[in-house]
Amino acid sequence: KDVQKEREPHVYLSKEEVKEKIQSYNSSVTDKLKMTLNANGIYTGFIKVQMELYRPITVQSSQSQGRSAPSSQETAFYLPDGCVNTLHISSTNTVREVIEALLKKFFVADNPAKFALYKRCHKEDQVYTCKLSDREHPLYLRLVAGPKTETLSFVLREHETGEAMWEAFSIPELQNFLRILDKEENDQLQVLRSRYAAYRGKLEEALRGLLKPG
């Protein structure tokens, strides 16, 4: 069940309370992805983000990384379903910064404004997916919920809902999308041609058997 954007009440925790929560969190961790409290009160840790992207993403090649202008060295492709990525972040990082870091990590050239981070949690035997505010702090949510992803997990989705806003894409992105559609169309045509060729072969073989002199 998807619900509207939510801003979690960020309860102020003293340094001692944060220390106790981190100790409790680390004692429950099973994948070695523990949190660390620094002397300045800022803590660091890991979050896992599931990618639920239904449109292609544009990825820069090693030659075009760092350029601000669109390049022919960019490629668009679909991410596989269920792709999960792990990020090391701090308690000061916001949702917007997490999205930007995630895209940068995988050289995604798309505008970060096209994406939104969601939290998925279980409440009263139901699963809720809620879009987080850009100013929310994911590591704080992870600390409060504990390390179990069954209790809380993070999901990256396209920001827009419903019909795609194609005018928000650059010309190279749209050209890459067209190339993907052409490839998919050709692949489907090859499958259909192979299927009907096999069917035609079986019919011709049956016909030759019927026409053989008795």
Side-chain angles (χ1 to χ4, degrees):
K1 179 180 178 181
D2 286 358
V3 295
Q4 294 180 347
K5 181 184 290 188
E6 179 178 318
R7 179 173 174 81
E8 286 282 338
H10 194 120
V11 179
Y12 177 78
L13 299 175
S14 68
K15 187 174 179 179
E16 189 61 34
E17 288 174 324
V18 170
K19 182 179 179 180
E20 291 176 0
K21 280 190 172 293
I22 290 177
Q23 288 175 343
S24 175
Y25 182 97
N26 290 342
S27 66
S28 303
V29 166
T30 57
D31 54 10
K32 299 182 180 181
L33 301 181
K34 296 185 177 183
M35 293 195 188
T36 302
L37 178 62
N38 300 315
N40 59 4
I42 297 173
Y43 51 96
T44 59
F46 299 86
I47 62 169
K48 294 180 179 180
V49 181
Q50 182 171 345
M51 315 288 276
E52 289 186 356
L53 305 179
Y54 301 104
R55 293 196 292 274
I57 58 171
T58 304
V59 178
Q60 296 176 329
S61 70
S62 57
Q63 291 84 2
S64 63
Q65 289 165 21
R67 298 178 185 173
S68 57
S71 167
S72 59
Q73 300 297 321
E74 295 177 350
T75 304
F77 67 93
Y78 288 95
L79 277 180
D81 292 337
C83 180
V84 177
N85 293 294
T86 303
L87 279 181
H88 185 251
I89 62 173
S90 82
S91 55
T92 62
N93 289 132
T94 63
V95 163
R96 181 50 48 188
E97 290 171 335
V98 166
I99 293 173
E100 291 172 354
L102 187 62
L103 299 181
K104 183 178 180 180
K105 180 179 179 181
F106 296 96
F107 309 116
V108 177
D110 298 272
N111 189 335
K114 295 178 183 177
F115 303 93
L117 191 67
Y118 290 73
K119 70 171 184 178
R120 181 174 290 155
C121 54
H122 290 76
K123 291 181 181 179
E124 299 175 355
D125 297 327
Q126 292 194 52
V127 179
Y128 291 84
T129 303
C130 172
K131 185 162 66 175
L132 294 169
S133 164
D134 284 349
R135 296 183 180 180
E136 194 55 73
H137 297 84
L139 195 61
Y140 167 80
L141 300 179
R142 181 78 280 161
L143 176 63
V144 172
K148 292 184 179 179
T149 54
E150 295 84 359
T151 303
L152 172 74
S153 59
F154 296 104
V155 180
L156 186 73
R157 291 179 175 177
E158 288 91 354
H159 186 71
E160 301 88 4
T161 58
E163 288 294 321
M165 298 175 63
W166 298 113
E167 63 274 12
F169 293 86
S170 67
I171 292 177
E173 286 178 318
L174 294 173
Q175 290 172 336
N176 277 326
F177 296 162
L178 286 174
R179 281 193 286 271
I180 290 175
L181 289 175
D182 288 340
K183 182 180 183 304
E184 290 181 347
E185 181 181 7
N186 289 331
D187 290 345
Q188 290 298 321
L189 285 174
Q190 290 297 329
V191 170
L192 287 173
R193 287 179 181 134
S194 298
R195 183 185 303 167
Y196 281 101
Y199 185 54
R200 184 182 296 107
K202 290 180 180 179
L203 287 176
E204 291 174 347
E205 182 180 353
L207 186 60
R208 285 194 297 270
L210 290 175
L211 293 177
K212 283 182 180 179

